Amino acid sequence: MNNPGPAYRRATMADLPAMQQLFVDSILRTCNNDYEEGQLLAWVSGVEDTRRWESIINSQYVMVCEVDTALQGFCTLKDGTYLDMLFVSPTAQRGGIARALYLHIELESRRAGAKEITVDASITARRFFEKMGFTILREQLVERKGVHIKNYKMCKPFGGDTAAGRR
């Protein structure tokens, strides 16, 4: 049987349950070397905010990746300049999905006329974003349910470069 590989498309409200499950699975299974259990549980509690998730689908530019009709990753762009979420299934890590999703989002950000793109990157995601050309602006402590979670405010200015992520 011929496997066509990953397919990328805009998200719909029908994707929401799979996105939420992927969010939880990705955090719990890929960030556990960088965060303590209490931090992970506080972070994934964000899945409970149904209004926020519906708002993401309705107001952000959201790309998903499917392989054999199963959601394998998603990435969201808020207001043309802020990469709000980028998550890939733990079973699809290091397969190029995160990079491809990011490049879709960067292209959309550039189309929107943005001069830069920012992200609040986890400890786990920091190296990925550095490879994509981001630099750290500052280290941050974010509070979720009374628990402090370390991340990094990162930025990638858009200059004349056209080869996104090449460094």
Side-chain angles (χ1 to χ4, degrees):
M1 198 161 192
N2 190 7
N3 184 349
Y8 298 88
R9 62 172 175 77
R10 293 284 305 270
T12 67
M13 197 59 78
D15 295 311
L16 197 51
M19 288 172 60
Q20 291 173 299
Q21 186 62 54
L22 193 147
F23 169 82
V24 171
D25 291 345
S26 179
I27 291 168
L28 293 179
R29 292 180 51 199
T30 62
C31 300
N32 56 356
N33 288 329
D34 297 314
Y35 295 96
E36 296 173 3
E37 182 179 7
Q39 293 173 310
L40 296 171
L41 295 175
W43 188 359
V44 299
S45 73
V47 78
E48 299 164 4
D49 188 349
T50 306
R51 277 188 267 165
R52 173 165 158 46
W53 282 88
E54 290 172 354
S55 175
I56 288 168
I57 295 288
N58 290 324
S59 66
Q60 295 188 27
Y61 183 87
V62 183
M63 290 294 299
V64 297
C65 172
E66 292 179 320
V67 177
D68 294 330
T69 70
L71 190 75
Q72 296 297 311
F74 69 93
C75 191
T76 72
L77 180 68
K78 183 177 180 180
D79 300 327
T81 61
Y82 178 68
L83 193 157
D84 190 15
M85 294 189 184
L86 173 56
F87 291 95
V88 174
S89 169
T91 60
Q93 297 284 317
R94 304 197 184 284
I97 291 173
R99 184 177 190 280
L101 284 168
Y102 168 73
L103 291 176
H104 279 285
I105 292 298
E106 181 180 310
L107 181 60
E108 181 60 23
S109 182
R110 288 175 182 262
R111 281 186 191 145
K115 303 292 184 213
E116 64 183 18
I117 189 168
T118 61
V119 67
D120 293 317
S122 67
I123 296 168
T124 310
R126 174 184 166 182
R127 282 188 302 258
F128 168 80
F129 286 110
E130 287 174 333
K131 287 179 185 173
M132 294 296 105
F134 285 75
T135 57
I136 296 173
L137 298 176
R138 67 183 168 276
E139 185 177 299
Q140 308 178 119
L141 283 178
V142 177
E143 187 177 331
R144 297 277 185 270
K145 293 199 167 195
V147 177
H148 289 94
I149 303 167
K150 180 175 156 181
N151 71 16
Y152 303 93
K153 173 64 79 179
M154 301 181 78
C155 179
K156 179 180 181 180
F158 298 145
D161 66 320
T162 56
R166 290 192 184 167
R167 284 192 128 204

